[in-house]
Amino acid sequence: MPTAVELFTPVTKKVNLYSDFRKDLLQSPLSADIVILKDEDAVKDSIKNLILTDPGERPMQPFLGGGIREMLFENITPATLKLIKDKIKTTIELYEPRAELIDISVKSNIDDNVVSVIIQFYIINRQQPITLDVILERIR
Amino acid sequence: MATVKTPITELDFDGIKSQLKTYLQTQTQFKDYNFEGSNLSALLDVLAFNTFNNNFYTNMAINEMFLDTAMLKNSIVSHAKELNYLPRSRKSARAQVIITISNEAETAQTITIPQYSNISATYLGDTFNFVTDQAFIAKRIAVGVYQTDTITIYEGQMLESFQREGFIVDSEGVLRVALSNDNVDTDSLVVFVDAEATDNQNVFTLARDIYGVEPTDKVFFIEPYFDDRFSVYFGNNNFGQQPEEFEDVRVRYRITSGAEGNGITNFTASFVEGASITVETVVASLGGAEREGIESIRFNAPRALQIQERAITTKDYEILLKQKFPEITSASVYGGDELDPPQYGKVAISVYLSDDTTIISQTLANSYIEYLNDRSPLSIEPVFVQTEYVYADTTIDISYTSKLASRTASELESLVRAAVQTYSDDTLEDFDKTLRISKLSTALDAIDTSIQSTSIDVKPIIEYAPALNIKANPRFQFGQKLIQPYAFNIGSDSFTGYKPAIKSSPFDLNNVCVFIQDDGVGNIQIVSEDTLNQQVIKPIAGTVDYETGEVKLVDFVVQKFSGSGIKITANTVDQDVKSPKGRVFIIRDTDVVVNMNLIESKSATINTSKNYT
């Protein structure tokens, strides 16, 4: 049985501030509708999109994007990693106003030929820090 | 949501994307449209870009569909083609020369100068080639010396095409020959059909329209092709003979440097072996022109359709002349009844080329009249009237301050003179022009901040160059009301302070230096120039009409005059001076007097306060 307090306290429906669709337009097996990314997932996907976009890739927006793909063909040195970190930081600060950066960690994994990026950030007006892992690797 | 109207007014990318965002604001499912990293934003970019592309192409396509809005020359030329207008190709400059051939070994009575003989010229560091467009005969004038009459030579080089690559046979079997060179002067085109390379037989000639063209006539037509090139086509056995599909069609034409070939006076030639050739220039090369530009085609094509190659109104004559002869800057055409004496059934034509060519040669005038003869009504005869000019006796007082003067008085004067010439070049130098004092004054005020004010006084000058010692009855029309002075009374101080409406520069009559002036009651008198004992030599030498500005001289004889003619100056009521009918208005630097007045420092203070009353 619900208590009296529970009976008279209005139930608040969670309102999603941010919503987006997946870029592969994945269909929900239950509703047959496309899957919606909400709040934290939407922002994470947005940041991932931004840093993996090269400037000039998006039509009529020549400066949008992190442009780190070109860095993957450089020699992996501390300077290169620092450059990648700076580019990611600048991109997020410029194009993702919902994220407040805490830290960016860029590490190289020479054996696997990948660069691992860990981005920690807050979503504005949310208290939980969020961590986003992105693996950068050459596709050829 | 369905009731919300999505604005569709924007055409650029940002505007379209903004409109899509406005639409998405009306739903709650996808909210990330404002964040550039979102997948939704990427989709919006693609949609907006696609819409922008469609807008651009639609806009371009619709613009190019109309003569008024088309931007591409090929489109404009295509529209002009619909109006039966042939845009002007490059035109060869043409010069008139007399060729003298000296060859002591030659004994014949004549020497033939072959068609397409080359004559070289160097001008401003560039080398040009001129050619004869037909064969000329040089007649023997002394032993071993042969001379032509005045002949016309054309700038350019003759090219002959033997290629069949440019030939196009469309689905209707119409044969076209695309000319491979875009520097062609289309006036020089000659077409040979099924003739040997060295054979000048079976010549097809250019037809400008289909009137009177029979199915068997050997004619060809020209039309613009694309990229400033032209193509030749035939009458499909309806309006001219059509070559068979595999007949060899050759085209001969001249390629030219256009306007660069104008103004050349020095020519050399060596087309006769063993002879010395002298080329004497009668008229320097002129008439060379670039291809017709976009705006010119846009303006002329509809008008060419209106006049249909026929000269009926005065405007028709002007348009036809300017189309055919690119050297003509402007033309004045009026009825022969306005000539003095009136010549009924004729139309008078004057043209203005440039201030370098003030006298039009007889040969040039003949070419204009010959061209118009075929296009004017049967009962109307075009006659050429040598272009006349009106000049401006201009006195300019410039007040300038030393405080703001970064230039010396002489530097300022040079700038003022240059500004006056620029005004003359840009605003006058045409028929039916008016010198507006305020406009000229504004131009002079803007020269330098040190110029505080300008005062300009302009009087029209008509120059008269009479045959010496021959009685004449010349008439001059100023076409403006004159300031009638008080009646002139002969007395001891009668010349002092007298301001005549008409006054001339000095000239000699019976060994006395004299000038003419009006007497305030409508007569022209001849007065001696002697300042100590000035007297009226002939009280009535003609009349002046103060209302119309017409001056008539009777039995006027001149013994001698200096310069290019006697300057007759009028004192007009209106400060703005209008060019009389059929005269071109020019301000010559020699007629301009500039007085530089330095304002003392005390009065040179600039008052920057403003009154808001």
Side-chain angles (χ1 to χ4, degrees):
Chain A
M1 287 287 289
T3 63
V5 174
E6 284 172 337
L7 278 174
F8 291 101
T9 303
V11 176
T12 54
K13 188 183 174 188
K14 189 186 176 191
V15 177
N16 297 312
L17 282 177
Y18 311 117
S19 55
D20 196 5
F21 52 78
R22 287 170 57 117
K23 60 174 151 297
D24 57 3
L25 296 175
L26 183 71
Q27 204 174 12
S28 164
L30 295 175
S31 64
D33 211 347
I34 61 168
V35 173
I36 293 177
L37 297 172
K38 291 175 182 168
D39 291 341
E40 182 186 320
D41 292 336
V43 178
K44 281 165 82 173
D45 206 44
S46 171
I47 291 174
K48 200 173 170 185
N49 281 346
L50 283 172
I51 61 177
L52 292 177
T53 301
D54 280 339
E57 191 179 328
R58 290 273 282 272
M60 307 296 280
Q61 301 215 59
F63 305 112
L64 181 81
I68 56 172
R69 198 168 296 172
E70 63 183 12
M71 305 299 298
L72 300 179
F73 290 88
E74 299 291 325
N75 290 328
I76 294 294
T77 62
T80 307
L81 297 178
K82 175 73 168 64
L83 212 53
I84 291 173
K85 183 178 176 180
D86 288 349
K87 284 193 170 199
I88 292 171
K89 183 170 180 282
T90 310
T91 305
I92 293 173
E93 284 174 354
L94 269 178
Y95 295 109
E96 189 44 270
R98 294 173 291 185
E100 189 182 330
L101 277 174
I102 301 169
D103 187 36
I104 300 173
S105 160
V106 180
K107 288 179 183 165
S108 65
N109 186 345
I110 293 173
D111 294 337
D112 292 337
N113 290 327
V114 296
V115 172
S116 165
V117 178
I118 300 168
I119 303 166
Q120 284 186 298
F121 63 96
Y122 291 114
I123 293 180
I124 300 292
N125 293 333
R126 298 282 169 91
Q127 293 188 350
Q128 297 84 358
I130 296 165
T131 302
L132 169 66
D133 293 336
V134 183
I135 303 294
L136 307 174
E137 61 180 327
R138 288 184 294 184
I139 55 171
R140 60 187 169 88
Chain B
M1 199 169 108
T3 57
V4 175
K5 290 180 181 172
T6 306
I8 50 168
T9 52
E10 297 294 332
L11 292 175
D12 65 330
F13 176 83
D14 290 331
I16 295 162
K17 192 173 174 188
S18 168
Q19 285 174 348
L20 290 171
K21 285 179 183 176
T22 307
Y23 172 74
L24 288 172
Q25 280 171 7
T26 61
Q27 53 83 48
T28 55
Q29 254 182 321
F30 301 109
K31 298 175 183 173
D32 284 5
Y33 43 80
N34 272 327
F35 303 107
E36 294 300 338
S38 66
N39 295 316
L40 184 55
S41 182
L43 181 64
L44 291 186
D45 278 349
V46 173
L47 291 174
F49 184 67
N50 183 52
T51 311
F52 171 72
N53 265 350
N54 283 336
N55 285 345
F56 177 78
Y57 287 123
T58 310
N59 192 39
M60 278 289 288
I62 292 177
N63 272 347
E64 297 303 315
M65 281 169 69
F66 301 99
L67 183 63
D68 278 346
T69 51
M71 302 293 289
L72 301 174
K73 189 168 184 186
N74 284 340
S75 306
I76 289 173
V77 165
S78 179
H79 292 303
K81 205 193 291 186
E82 290 170 14
L83 298 171
N84 197 28
Y85 180 73
L86 182 68
R88 190 186 66 225
S89 68
R90 269 192 168 184
K91 292 290 171 205
S92 292
R94 57 192 191 281
Q96 285 167 9
V97 296
I98 296 172
I99 296 176
T100 308
I101 302 167
S102 302
N103 187 359
E104 288 179 4
E106 186 63 60
T107 55
Q109 287 300 311
T110 59
I111 293 180
T112 302
I113 299 173
Q115 189 183 28
Y116 306 134
S117 295
N118 290 311
I119 296 160
S120 308
T122 306
Y123 183 59
L124 298 176
D126 289 328
T127 305
F128 295 90
N129 190 69
F130 282 68
V131 289
T132 55
D133 66 329
Q134 54 181 287
F136 290 105
I137 302 289
K139 293 174 191 160
R140 186 175 176 181
I141 56 169
V143 177
V145 181
Y146 299 82
Q147 195 172 64
T148 63
D149 296 331
T150 301
I151 63 169
T152 304
I153 55 176
Y154 295 85
E155 188 274 321
Q157 284 184 320
M158 297 308 300
L159 288 189
E160 262 183 275
S161 169
F162 298 98
Q163 309 286 332
R164 286 188 68 93
E165 283 87 4
F167 292 19
I168 309 151
V169 182
D170 66 18
S171 56
E172 311 242 322
V174 178
L175 176 75
R176 287 172 200 276
V177 182
L179 305 183
S180 56
N181 200 304
D182 59 355
N183 294 325
V184 179
D185 179 349
T186 50
D187 287 346
S188 66
L189 275 172
V190 187
V191 173
F192 308 94
V193 176
D194 204 22
E196 294 298 321
T198 54
D199 189 1
N200 280 351
Q201 302 302 310
N202 217 8
V203 176
F204 278 54
T205 54
L206 173 66
R208 295 190 184 276
D209 52 51
I210 58 171
Y211 294 113
V213 177
E214 299 291 331
T216 54
D217 287 351
K218 291 178 178 176
V219 296
F220 68 90
F221 303 91
I222 313 175
E223 66 175 12
Y225 191 38
F226 65 87
D227 289 348
D228 291 325
R229 290 162 58 199
F230 290 84
S231 69
V232 166
Y233 65 103
F234 301 90
N236 208 15
N237 295 327
N238 293 320
F239 300 106
Q241 193 176 319
Q242 175 81 11
E244 295 300 324
E245 194 171 337
F246 297 106
E247 278 185 328
D248 184 24
V249 177
R250 293 189 293 127
V251 184
R252 177 186 286 159
Y253 52 80
R254 187 172 59 232
I255 57 167
T256 169
S257 312
E260 288 177 16
N262 288 336
I264 299 175
T265 51
N266 293 321
F267 300 96
T268 54
S270 57
F271 45 75
V272 180
E273 207 171 310
S276 142
I277 301 175
T278 315
V279 183
E280 180 196 341
T281 308
V282 178
V283 177
S285 61
L286 53 75
E290 293 305 312
R291 301 172 199 95
E292 189 165 8
I294 285 176
E295 292 309 319
S296 175
I297 298 171
R298 205 196 301 277
F299 179 82
N300 281 326
R303 284 156 185 80
L305 181 71
Q306 283 169 6
I307 65 173
Q308 299 273 350
E309 284 267 318
R310 278 168 267 174
I312 308 296
T313 69
T314 55
K315 272 283 171 212
D316 297 347
Y317 284 90
E318 290 177 25
I319 290 172
L320 281 171
L321 278 173
K322 285 165 95 171
Q323 258 178 15
K324 174 68 181 172
F325 302 99
E327 72 269 20
I328 294 177
T329 306
S330 57
S332 172
V333 181
Y334 48 95
D337 54 322
E338 293 181 47
L339 287 168
D340 180 28
Q343 297 182 38
Y344 299 102
K346 293 185 178 175
V347 58
I349 290 146
S350 296
V351 299
Y352 175 61
L353 307 188
S354 70
D355 48 4
D356 296 331
T357 317
T358 49
I359 305 291
I360 310 296
S361 72
Q362 192 58 46
T363 322
L364 213 51
N366 287 346
S367 65
Y368 301 151
I369 297 301
E370 194 180 324
Y371 175 70
L372 289 175
N373 264 333
D374 295 340
R375 289 160 178 82
S376 50
L378 279 178
S379 55
I380 300 293
E381 181 192 347
V383 290
F384 187 82
V385 176
Q386 191 59 254
T387 310
E388 294 181 310
Y389 299 87
V390 63
Y391 305 103
D393 181 15
T394 312
T395 306
I396 302 172
D397 292 312
I398 301 283
S399 299
Y400 71 103
T401 168
S402 57
K403 266 193 168 178
L404 298 171
S406 57
R407 297 183 171 96
T408 63
S410 58
E411 284 173 343
L412 280 175
E413 183 183 334
S414 302
L415 290 174
V416 167
R417 287 184 177 280
V420 171
Q421 285 312 304
T422 306
Y423 177 83
S424 176
D425 291 345
D426 296 348
T427 317
L428 304 175
E429 302 205 2
D430 199 349
F431 296 96
D432 301 324
K433 288 288 174 184
T434 302
L435 191 159
R436 306 272 178 204
I437 297 291
S438 64
K439 302 276 184 201
L440 179 56
S441 187
T442 306
L444 298 185
D445 283 345
I447 289 175
D448 195 279
T449 50
S450 62
I451 293 178
Q452 299 294 292
S453 69
T454 53
S455 166
I456 302 170
D457 181 47
V458 177
K459 293 186 174 73
I461 300 172
I462 289 179
E463 220 167 60
Y464 174 52
L468 300 178
N469 298 313
I470 292 174
K471 278 187 185 177
N473 301 311
R475 267 175 31 167
F476 312 105
Q477 183 61 263
F478 283 96
Q480 273 187 286
K481 194 174 178 182
L482 307 180
I483 298 175
Q484 185 170 1
Y486 60 84
F488 181 84
N489 289 315
I490 298 176
S492 58
D493 61 346
S494 52
F495 291 100
T496 311
Y498 182 68
K499 290 182 179 172
I502 298 290
K503 189 175 180 181
S504 78
S505 58
F507 59 92
D508 280 5
L509 175 65
N510 297 331
N511 297 323
V512 178
C513 185
V514 296
F515 62 91
I516 61 168
Q517 66 174 28
D518 67 297
D519 63 357
V521 292
N523 297 315
I524 296 288
Q525 55 188 10
I526 298 177
V527 180
S528 68
E529 176 71 357
D530 186 353
T531 49
L532 296 175
N533 183 25
Q534 201 163 28
Q535 48 187 293
V536 175
I537 294 191
K538 190 176 180 184
I540 300 177
T543 57
V544 57
D545 186 331
Y546 294 108
E547 287 298 317
T548 62
E550 186 180 32
V551 177
K552 290 181 188 172
L553 299 175
V554 181
D555 293 342
F556 189 64
V557 183
V558 174
Q559 187 186 359
K560 197 170 80 177
F561 62 89
S562 59
S564 53
I566 300 169
K567 290 180 185 174
I568 299 167
T569 311
N571 198 5
T572 56
V573 171
D574 280 345
Q575 278 198 315
D576 292 343
V577 178
K578 195 178 167 190
S579 63
K581 190 169 193 63
R583 287 184 184 268
V584 175
F585 206 145
I586 295 179
I587 305 179
R588 296 182 298 195
D589 191 49
T590 49
D591 296 326
V592 179
V593 175
V594 181
N595 300 317
M596 302 298 298
N597 305 314
L598 178 65
I599 303 173
E600 295 302 325
S601 312
K602 192 179 169 186
S603 58
T605 310
I606 294 177
N607 183 9
T608 53
S609 65
K610 292 175 182 171
N611 294 321
Y612 298 96
T613 53

